[in-house]
Amino acid sequence: MDILETDAYDRRKRRNMSCALLFSLLPFFLSSALYFYLLTPDSAPSVVAAGVKSAPTLLLAVVVLSWNGGQSILGVAGGLIFSAVGDCCLIWPEMFIHGMGAFAVAHLLYSLSFLSSRYATFSSSSWIRLFYLILLMIGGAFYVYLYPFLQKAPESDLLTPGVGVYTVLITVMAALAAKTHHMTTLLGSLIFMVSDASLALQVFKVLPPMQHGQIVVMVTYYLAQLLIAVGDVKAVENKDDLSKWKRS
């Protein structure tokens, strides 16, 4: 009876947490909707446009900070803040390298978070090692494919090595996300790679101009950040559940 009562209490606690988390994410959903409502790819870059674009990511950072506390500033919350800086930079094409640098820092902070004690640790299974290899091959192949286009881009002397380093960082971030065994976190990391790949193919003119190219980039981007943020909030709960299972 005690076990049944404990399980029922845990279920109610998880349900209440999910409802509270969903409520705290409402500003993110509203600001994302506002961005897509105001999205005009041909409009001139402006401070207002930068604010509207970065608002959803900043609001996710607030959610993570409110749930996980100040220590998350050196993890996912900090990564979201640097992502918002990158969002602002990418409004102005001439600041693309600065934006890429901000996102590189974000991926470093995500990686540090995935390695922290907040996430339950698991030994690397054979399928995880195979997944690492597949990610490495995809990242390397994409950079090799992109290389000739990087050579033709303005500031290619900075972009060519910069994109290479960035590709390594986001690939490592996704690999560490897989190591956490958190499906939400892993999906967010993989979708982030898809979003960045779509952006790179458009920015470096690998593909002809796409009518809805910016929408594809931003939908996948916001979804990726949402999943990573939610995964971080739920990391402690999942770790506690694992600890209970090991003790039983």
Side-chain angles (χ1 to χ4, degrees):
M1 185 63 179
D2 290 340
I3 295 176
L4 292 176
E5 289 178 351
T6 301
D7 289 343
Y9 172 78
D10 288 342
R11 285 196 298 271
R12 285 196 301 271
K13 184 179 178 181
R14 284 194 293 268
R15 185 167 59 249
N16 292 338
M17 177 184 176
S18 297
C19 291
L21 179 57
L22 180 61
F23 182 78
S24 67
L25 288 170
L26 286 178
F28 163 78
F29 291 119
L30 291 174
S31 61
S32 300
L34 178 64
Y35 170 79
F36 289 111
Y37 177 75
L38 298 175
L39 179 63
T40 50
D42 297 329
S43 61
S46 66
V47 174
V48 173
V52 172
K53 183 182 181 183
S54 61
T57 314
L58 284 174
L59 289 169
L60 282 177
V62 171
V63 171
V64 174
L65 282 169
S66 66
W67 281 83
N68 295 342
Q71 72 272 13
S72 59
I73 200 70
L74 294 177
V76 169
L80 288 164
I81 292 171
F82 271 97
S83 294
V85 173
D87 290 336
C88 293
C89 291
L90 294 184
I91 288 287
W92 290 272
E94 62 272 17
M95 295 188 68
F96 180 85
I97 293 178
H98 301 81
M100 184 171 64
F103 279 111
V105 175
H107 294 315
L108 278 173
L109 290 172
Y110 289 158
S111 297
L112 287 174
S113 183
F114 300 158
L115 285 171
S116 71
S117 59
R118 294 190 63 256
Y119 286 79
T121 56
F122 298 87
S123 58
S124 294
S125 60
S126 57
W127 78 266
I128 285 288
R129 288 191 288 271
L130 176 61
F131 183 76
Y132 292 161
L133 179 60
I134 292 172
L135 272 181
L136 180 64
M137 292 173 62
I138 291 174
F142 184 77
Y143 180 72
V144 170
Y145 177 71
L146 210 59
Y147 184 84
F149 299 93
L150 292 172
Q151 292 291 292
K152 299 175 186 176
E155 299 184 283
S156 62
D157 55 330
L158 289 175
L159 276 174
T160 302
V163 171
V165 171
Y166 183 87
T167 301
V168 171
L169 289 175
I170 194 172
T171 302
V172 169
M173 186 269 292
L176 292 175
K179 187 177 176 63
T180 67
H181 285 220
H182 286 221
M183 187 55 65
T184 304
T185 301
L186 175 57
L187 282 176
S189 302
L190 294 177
I191 293 172
F192 210 135
M193 292 183 71
V194 172
S195 179
D196 277 0
S198 177
L199 176 64
L201 292 174
Q202 295 176 62
V203 167
F204 300 120
K205 298 179 171 55
V206 179
L207 299 176
M210 299 170 59
Q211 184 178 359
H212 302 295
Q214 183 67 7
I215 293 178
V216 172
V217 171
M218 294 308 297
V219 166
T220 51
Y221 168 70
Y222 285 146
L223 177 58
Q225 297 283 37
L226 172 64
L227 292 172
I228 290 173
V230 170
D232 195 58
V233 169
K234 288 183 170 291
V236 171
E237 178 190 13
N238 293 341
K239 184 178 180 181
D240 290 342
D241 289 343
L242 180 65
S243 298
K244 291 178 184 177
W245 178 83
K246 286 181 176 179
R247 289 196 300 267
S248 61

